[in-house]
Amino acid sequence: MKATHLLRAVARRVAAAVAVLLGAATVAFAALQLIPGDPVTTMLGPFSSASPEVRDRIRAQYGLGEPVWQQYLHYLGHLLRGNLGESYQVQRPVSSLISGQLAPTAQLALAALAVALLLAVLSATATAGRRPVLRGAASLLELLTVSSPSYWTGILLLTMFSFHWQLFPVAGAQNGTALVLPALTLALPMTGVLAQVLREGLETALHEPFAVTARSRGLSTTAVRLRHALRHAALPLITLTGWLAGSLLGGAVLVETVFGRPGIGALILQATTNKDMPLAIGLVLLSALVFVVLSTLVDLLYLVIDPRLRTDQVTP
């Protein structure tokens, strides 16, 4: 019974993932169809003198002369075969373009996520339940980081640490030091949100009976926070972290532009500006896949943190 129930849960998860990817591809396809402009003109350039015959051949080659519903069905057929198509603009496979730029963006996103979690845990555990002045100062600083645009934060960090003190490179991704400022720029807004959520969870957990019992056994306040309260307050933190991590792809566009880094951000700008439909839909599917994977990881982490959920998963 337990194995059957788990198989059903896995099947539901796979079906949901397929539905999300299909929905993302459909919405992206429809949105790009509504963008004004001719893809053939985009491929040839606005000042091209190509004859109508050449334009018709290009339109036939990519199926752009077919009805929209046929283009949609053809594209879904290619997706089912694992073919993301060929970029209109650079005449290269979309999968090759994405894989060539994915590593710098993944490196930036993972570094930013690690920094955000570390700073959020330090801030929340140090100020939860403390004096109102300390808590208020931390909350004010977090509010500033959340409300500040990432490009403005990036420019400030560049001015201070690159131009003035010359501690970090201005642009590029040549070594690890070039990752510090972009990762910090991307992490600071997340830190503010995560710290506020974790602090509220900690303050609630510290008033639960298990925390009172732990203190009565002689545990220090710090030990109670780290060994007991933090575990109980982690569930909403993990949920929010999964959502924020999925949105890092969009935030990386501005950060990569400010710091002159290679990555997916340049591809997103290129695809939307040039109405490069295969590339744009490929990037949308990548973002949807990231959300699906992160959602699955969050569910698994729930089971690790709260053993009670493991029983619920196998209850018939």
Side-chain angles (χ1 to χ4, degrees):
M1 180 64 71
K2 292 182 179 181
T4 302
H5 197 72
L6 287 175
L7 287 176
R8 289 177 181 174
V10 172
R12 286 196 298 268
R13 171 62 65 181
V14 173
V18 172
V20 168
L21 294 176
L22 177 61
T26 302
V27 171
F29 183 89
L32 288 170
Q33 291 294 329
L34 298 175
I35 298 177
D38 182 15
V40 176
T41 302
T42 300
M43 283 185 274
L44 295 174
F47 304 105
S48 173
S49 58
S51 65
E53 291 78 12
V54 173
R55 292 176 178 269
D56 289 340
R57 283 200 299 270
I58 295 175
R59 202 178 302 276
Q61 177 184 352
Y62 289 97
L64 298 175
E66 299 175 349
V68 174
W69 65 271
Q70 287 187 2
Q71 295 183 41
Y72 174 68
L73 291 179
H74 288 162
Y75 187 76
L76 287 184
H78 288 305
L79 287 182
L80 291 176
R81 294 192 296 271
N83 181 12
L84 294 177
E86 188 176 85
S87 168
Y88 291 162
Q89 191 68 24
V90 297
Q91 307 295 306
R92 287 179 53 193
V94 170
S95 56
S96 174
L97 291 173
I98 293 177
S99 62
Q101 298 295 323
L102 184 59
T105 298
Q107 184 184 45
L108 173 61
L110 290 175
L113 187 61
V115 171
L117 285 172
L118 177 61
L119 294 179
V121 170
L122 291 176
S123 175
T125 54
T127 58
R130 304 290 188 182
R131 288 175 294 181
V133 175
L134 180 61
R135 189 186 188 284
S139 298
L140 178 60
L141 184 59
E142 292 158 3
L143 180 61
L144 288 175
T145 60
V146 172
S147 59
S148 299
S150 58
Y151 67 86
W152 183 77
T153 303
I155 292 173
L156 282 181
L157 293 176
L158 274 175
T159 302
M160 293 172 57
F161 296 101
S162 295
F163 296 125
H164 183 65
W165 290 325
Q166 299 180 354
L167 297 176
F168 300 102
V170 175
Q174 60 273 20
N175 51 45
T177 59
L179 182 64
V180 174
L181 294 184
L184 189 58
T185 300
L186 199 56
L188 285 177
M190 291 192 299
T191 299
V193 177
L194 294 175
Q196 291 181 11
V197 170
L198 182 58
R199 184 181 298 108
E200 292 181 1
L202 282 172
E203 291 178 344
T204 300
L206 287 172
H207 290 89
E208 294 292 333
F210 71 86
V212 177
T213 303
R215 283 194 293 266
S216 67
R217 294 203 306 264
L219 287 180
S220 65
T221 303
T222 302
V224 172
R225 289 170 184 267
L226 297 179
R227 293 172 55 182
H228 298 282
L230 185 60
R231 184 185 183 94
H232 286 76
L235 289 180
L237 178 71
I238 290 175
T239 302
L240 187 57
T241 300
W243 180 82
L244 289 175
S247 65
L248 283 176
L249 186 62
V253 177
L254 286 176
V255 174
E256 289 175 350
T257 302
V258 170
F259 289 93
R261 288 181 57 87
I264 296 296
L267 285 183
I268 293 176
L269 293 177
Q270 173 186 326
T272 54
T273 302
N274 298 325
K275 200 182 179 181
D276 195 336
M277 188 165 61
L279 180 57
I281 296 179
L283 291 168
V284 170
L285 288 176
L286 172 64
S287 180
L289 180 62
V290 169
F291 269 105
V292 168
V293 171
L294 289 174
S295 177
T296 303
L297 290 177
V298 166
D299 289 344
L300 294 176
L301 283 175
Y302 280 170
L303 300 179
V304 173
I305 292 175
D306 194 344
R308 295 171 298 180
L309 298 177
R310 302 172 200 169
T311 304
D312 295 339
Q313 291 291 323
V314 296
T315 301

